[in-house]
């Protein structure tokens, strides 16, 4: 008689155990988490930095000094020349603070959108136009520059006189502000 072959003979190359499965799973998990973190950091542009998009915060700057004037009809006109120099897409100026020695006047986005009566984009701009919105105030596309004319008497209810500090507030995780002096 021939000996019976044992079909249940184990192949030593395909043997698995709970320890081997756990080790392979842990290594694969570490690789997936590492790939996700590295890809996210590269996408945010700060590979050796914190785990949030600190390098892509919108930053609005004044290009030249803003100026103010009082028209013959009793309205206070403020002219701002601003640009968005950093950020993922566009900056939204949602508040404008006018501060002097006696107090602060806050123009929120609804006031800003109704006070802006003229926007003149820079001749070289190639993005969307700068626009206003009652929800966001003034929307400035990345890299664009414009001169913005505002009649702020309708929001303040009075004609302004004297020296004011103008602060443009761009709400982000770390709020960025641009500050300058204007005389009416």
């Amino acid at each position: 008689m021939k000996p019976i072959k044992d079909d249940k003979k184990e192949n030593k190359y395909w043997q698995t155990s709970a320890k081997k499965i756990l080790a392979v799973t842990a290594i694969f998990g570490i690789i997936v988490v590492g790939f996700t973190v590295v890809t996210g950091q590269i996408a945010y542009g700060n590979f050796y930095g914190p785990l949030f998009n600190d390098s892509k915060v919108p930053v609005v700057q004044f290009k030249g000094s803003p100026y103010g004037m009082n028209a013959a009809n009793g309205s206070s006109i403020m002219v701002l020349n601003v640009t968005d120099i950093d950020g993922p897409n566009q900056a939204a100026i949602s508040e404008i603070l006018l501060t002097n020695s006696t107090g602060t006047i806050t123009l929120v986005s609804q006031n800003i959108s109704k006070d802006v009566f003229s926007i003149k984009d820079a001749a070289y701009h190639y993005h969307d136009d700068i626009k206003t919105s009652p929800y966001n105030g003034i929307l400035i596309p990345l890299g664009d520059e414009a001169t913005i004319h505002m009649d702020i008497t309708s929001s303040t209810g009075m004609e302004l006189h004297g020296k004011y500090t103008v602060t443009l507030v761009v709400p982000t995780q770390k709020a960025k502000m641009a500050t300058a002096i204007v005389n009416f």
Side-chain angles (χ1 to χ4, degrees):
M1 272 180 90
K2 290 184 175 180
I4 300 176
K5 272 187 164 181
D6 187 12
D7 290 335
K8 296 182 179 180
K9 189 174 183 182
E10 296 181 17
N11 185 339
K12 65 180 182 177
Y13 298 110
W14 294 101
Q15 291 177 352
T16 58
S17 68
K19 291 180 182 179
K20 287 181 184 178
I21 292 174
L22 181 62
V24 170
T25 304
I27 291 170
F28 182 73
I30 291 170
I31 290 171
V32 167
V33 168
F35 178 77
T36 304
V37 169
V38 168
T39 304
Q41 290 295 86
I42 291 170
Y44 280 137
N46 54 344
F47 185 69
Y48 293 108
L51 285 173
F52 60 90
N53 191 353
D54 193 27
S55 64
K56 304 273 190 211
V57 175
V59 177
V60 172
Q61 283 187 343
F62 287 104
K63 298 300 264 183
S65 296
Y67 62 94
M69 63 187 129
N70 290 314
N73 64 358
S75 52
S76 295
I77 308 295
M78 185 168 59
V79 180
L80 310 171
N81 191 357
V82 294
T83 186
D84 178 12
I85 61 166
D86 197 10
N89 188 9
Q90 64 184 0
I93 301 171
S94 64
E95 283 186 10
I96 297 177
L97 306 173
L98 297 166
T99 309
N100 67 3
S101 60
T102 60
T104 300
I105 299 169
T106 303
L107 302 174
V108 294
S109 56
Q110 292 91 356
N111 300 114
I112 294 169
S113 67
K114 76 176 183 183
D115 290 348
V116 171
F117 66 87
S118 172
I119 298 175
K120 183 175 269 189
D121 283 310
Y124 60 83
H125 91 93
Y126 55 91
H127 294 288
D128 293 336
D129 292 336
I130 293 178
K131 36 190 171 226
T132 61
S133 162
Y135 305 106
N136 297 318
I138 301 169
L139 297 165
I140 306 171
L142 178 61
D144 207 348
E145 182 179 334
T147 303
I148 300 167
H149 299 261
M150 299 176 67
D151 179 2
I152 57 177
T153 308
S154 60
S155 293
T156 60
M158 63 184 173
E159 186 176 354
L160 300 179
H161 295 282
K163 184 179 190 178
Y164 287 85
T165 301
V166 179
T167 305
L168 306 177
V169 179
V170 178
T172 59
Q173 183 177 8
K174 292 182 175 180
K176 297 290 185 176
M177 299 182 198
T179 304
I181 303 294
V182 64
N183 289 307
F184 288 96

